[in-house]
């Protein structure tokens, strides 16, 4: 209850490790699973990451390997150039010595993004390279690079200087944190547990029953036909011979079943991991089972009517799908339960 914390503010409260894990999840679910941009995503954060907290492998089997690198900087301010110099220096030294492949893109990701000065340098890669070199060559700044890169001295001269001079600094970019959050919205089962707010993805239109009864419908359809036979005391009744109110009921029952199937399929890619569609089915079952097992129904068809009526009044509690459920889908869940032999119309 109460006002929701803005995702950008919540991210500012993360630890360094939590922030790296957020970027790993985003790269995996948004860029690998949804966009197909990567074949593998790996988090390396911590000691020995060689300036790469998260890696997105475009083609791990290529020679040289093709990848994007993400450097996470969870600071309490928009990044200054001085925040980036040690990381860029480490990146250059590691690439020069062949300890890491040169990435296709080298992204900087931070909760408050980059400040005006660093943003200006990133917009002009030649100036970024020149500023890095000037900082590196500054005798007062040099100890900073000694401390960051394995405690060793790496002077910017000779072959290393030539390597840095030829390196394309267009690959060094900022990934705005707002883009990360917005792209994560397309993965509700990860977005909601992190940032709250319930499910935000719209429910697609209800699936329509095909003209021919599908294989997955056979069980609940057979149960309905048995209920109609019991009601009419006529074992010759089949789907093809239904007329009048029974034909109308059969048509409506299939529509309800497919309405529930729409919710079921929707839930697979949207629900947080701790919730399932089966939880909703269980709540509906608990709501209607006593009505179903009552011995005083005039016949099996009347039992179906009473159970479906009870289902539409079910109050779904403590579940993200509750706002998506309507009377028709709750009624359709009864036929899903019959399909799974959890409800029986002819006792």
């Amino acid at each position: 209850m109460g006002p929701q914390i803005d995702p950008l503010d919540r991210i500012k409260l993360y630890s360094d490790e939590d922030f790296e894990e957020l970027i790993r999840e985003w790269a995996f679910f948004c860029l690998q699973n949804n966009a197909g941009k990567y074949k593998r995503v790996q988090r390396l954060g911590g000691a020995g990451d060689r300036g790469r907290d998260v890696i997105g492998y475009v083609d791990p089997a290529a020679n040289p390997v093709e990848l994007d690198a993400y450097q996470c900087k969870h600071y309490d301010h928009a990044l200054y150039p001085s925040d980036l110099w040690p990381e860029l220096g480490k990146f250059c030294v590691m690439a020069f010595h062949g300890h890491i492949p040169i990435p296709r893109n080298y992204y900087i990701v931070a909760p408050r993004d980059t400040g005006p000065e660093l943003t200006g340098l990133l917009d002009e890669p030649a100036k970024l390279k020149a500023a890095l070199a000037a900082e590196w060559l500054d005798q007062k700044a040099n100890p900073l690079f000694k401390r960051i890169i394995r405690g060793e001295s790496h002077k910017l001269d000779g072959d290393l200087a030539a390597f840095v001079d030829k390196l394309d600094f267009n690959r060094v970019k900022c990934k705005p944190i707002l883009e990360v959050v917005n792209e994560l919205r397309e993965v509700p089962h990860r977005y909601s547990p992190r940032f709250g707010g319930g499910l935000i993805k719209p429910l697609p239109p209800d699936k329509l029953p095909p003209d021919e009864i599908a294989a997955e419908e056979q069980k609940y359809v057979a149960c309905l036909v048995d209920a109609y036979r019991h009601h009419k005391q006529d074992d010759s009744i089949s789907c093809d011979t239904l007329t009048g109110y029974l034909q109308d009921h059969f048509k409506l029952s299939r529509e309800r079943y497919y309405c529930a199937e729409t919710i079921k399929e929707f839930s697979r890619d949207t629900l947080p991991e701790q919730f399932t569609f089966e939880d909703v089915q269980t709540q509906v079952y608990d709501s209607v089972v006593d009505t179903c097992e009552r011995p005083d129904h005039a016949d099996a068809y009347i039992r179906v009517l009473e159970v479906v009526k009870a289902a539409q009044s079910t109050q779904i509690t403590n579940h993200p799908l509750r706002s998506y459920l309507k009377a028709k889908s709750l009624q359709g869940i009864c036929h899903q339960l019959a399909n799974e032999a959890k409800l029986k119309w002819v006792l």
Side-chain angles (χ1 to χ4, degrees):
M1 301 298 291
Q4 182 182 348
I5 299 176
D6 186 276
L8 298 180
D9 291 331
R10 191 182 295 272
I11 289 172
K12 293 172 185 175
L13 302 176
Y14 280 5
S15 67
D16 293 349
E17 292 76 15
D18 289 339
F19 185 59
E20 290 172 8
E21 182 59 21
L22 169 71
I23 300 307
R24 185 193 71 86
E25 284 189 9
W26 161 74
F28 176 80
F29 288 107
C30 297
L31 303 184
Q32 179 175 324
N33 274 16
N34 286 5
K37 185 176 180 179
Y38 301 134
K39 291 185 179 178
R40 190 174 88 227
V41 167
Q42 185 174 356
R43 178 186 165 202
L44 301 177
D49 64 18
R50 298 178 175 179
R52 308 166 303 163
D53 293 315
V54 175
I55 297 177
Y57 289 93
V58 180
D59 187 356
N63 188 16
V65 64
E66 192 175 1
L67 57 85
D68 291 335
Y70 296 87
Q71 180 63 39
C72 304
K73 306 300 291 182
H74 195 275
Y75 288 3
D76 62 358
H77 57 266
L79 298 184
Y80 310 132
S82 58
D83 297 321
L84 185 58
W85 300 143
E87 300 301 336
L88 273 185
K90 182 194 299 185
F91 162 68
C92 291
V93 170
M94 291 297 176
F96 170 68
H97 288 293
H99 297 315
I100 62 171
I102 299 175
R104 183 180 63 173
N105 296 290
Y106 184 86
Y107 290 102
I108 309 299
V109 196
R112 292 167 173 82
D113 294 324
T114 56
E117 186 179 357
L118 181 53
T119 299
L121 290 173
L122 291 172
D123 289 341
E124 300 187 63
K127 288 186 178 180
L128 177 67
K129 183 190 296 186
L132 172 66
E135 187 75 12
W136 205 330
L137 292 169
D138 188 327
Q139 292 301 310
K140 293 181 180 179
N142 199 38
L144 183 64
F145 290 96
K146 286 183 182 179
R147 186 173 70 250
I148 293 296
I149 308 171
R150 292 185 172 184
E152 302 172 1
S153 175
H154 297 278
K155 293 183 179 180
L156 188 62
D157 58 15
D159 291 341
L160 176 57
F163 174 82
V164 173
D165 186 59
K166 291 181 180 179
L167 195 61
D168 182 7
F169 272 58
N170 283 287
R171 72 185 75 246
V172 183
K173 306 170 182 177
C174 172
K175 177 64 179 180
I177 194 64
L178 189 58
E179 291 183 5
V180 171
V181 171
N182 191 53
E183 289 166 14
L184 265 175
R185 291 179 187 274
E186 298 303 314
V187 191
H189 69 286
R190 297 310 309 150
Y191 182 90
S192 295
R194 280 196 172 276
F195 304 121
L199 301 183
I200 55 177
K201 192 173 183 179
L203 183 69
D206 290 339
K207 295 178 63 178
L208 298 176
D211 293 336
E212 297 294 326
I213 295 171
E216 60 268 22
E217 294 184 81
Q218 297 295 329
K219 292 182 180 179
Y220 87 87
V221 165
C223 290
L224 282 172
V225 170
D226 284 343
Y228 299 151
R229 290 172 177 173
H230 189 263
H231 173 63
K232 286 290 191 179
Q233 293 296 297
D234 182 356
D235 290 341
S236 68
I237 290 177
S238 69
C239 297
D240 297 329
T241 62
L242 291 173
T243 58
Y245 66 91
L246 291 183
Q247 185 181 45
D248 293 340
H249 181 267
F250 181 66
K251 180 177 180 293
L252 182 59
S253 296
R254 292 189 69 212
E255 290 175 358
R256 289 167 172 168
Y257 172 82
Y258 275 93
C259 181
E261 286 292 293
T262 301
I263 294 278
K264 182 178 180 180
E265 292 183 10
F266 170 79
S267 70
R268 290 171 184 162
D269 297 325
T270 57
L271 285 181
E273 293 175 353
Q274 66 267 38
F275 296 98
T276 67
F277 179 74
E278 287 70 25
D279 297 335
V280 174
Q281 289 181 313
T282 298
Q283 291 191 49
V284 172
Y285 174 82
D286 291 341
S287 176
V288 304
V289 63
D290 289 343
T291 300
C292 186
E293 294 179 353
R294 269 174 37 203
D296 59 342
H297 296 299
D299 57 60
Y301 170 62
I302 301 301
R303 175 175 285 108
V304 176
L305 297 181
E306 291 299 317
V307 168
V308 167
K309 181 180 178 181
Q312 73 183 43
S313 302
T314 302
Q315 297 296 314
I316 302 299
T317 59
N318 193 31
H319 199 284
L321 285 176
R322 62 183 180 273
S323 62
Y324 291 81
L325 295 166
K326 49 191 176 183
K328 198 171 183 179
S329 49
L330 291 169
Q331 293 164 338
I333 288 174
C334 295
H335 298 298
Q336 289 178 325
L337 293 170
N339 217 33
E340 298 169 9
K342 294 177 180 178
L343 292 178
K344 296 180 180 180
W345 308 136
V346 180
L347 302 183

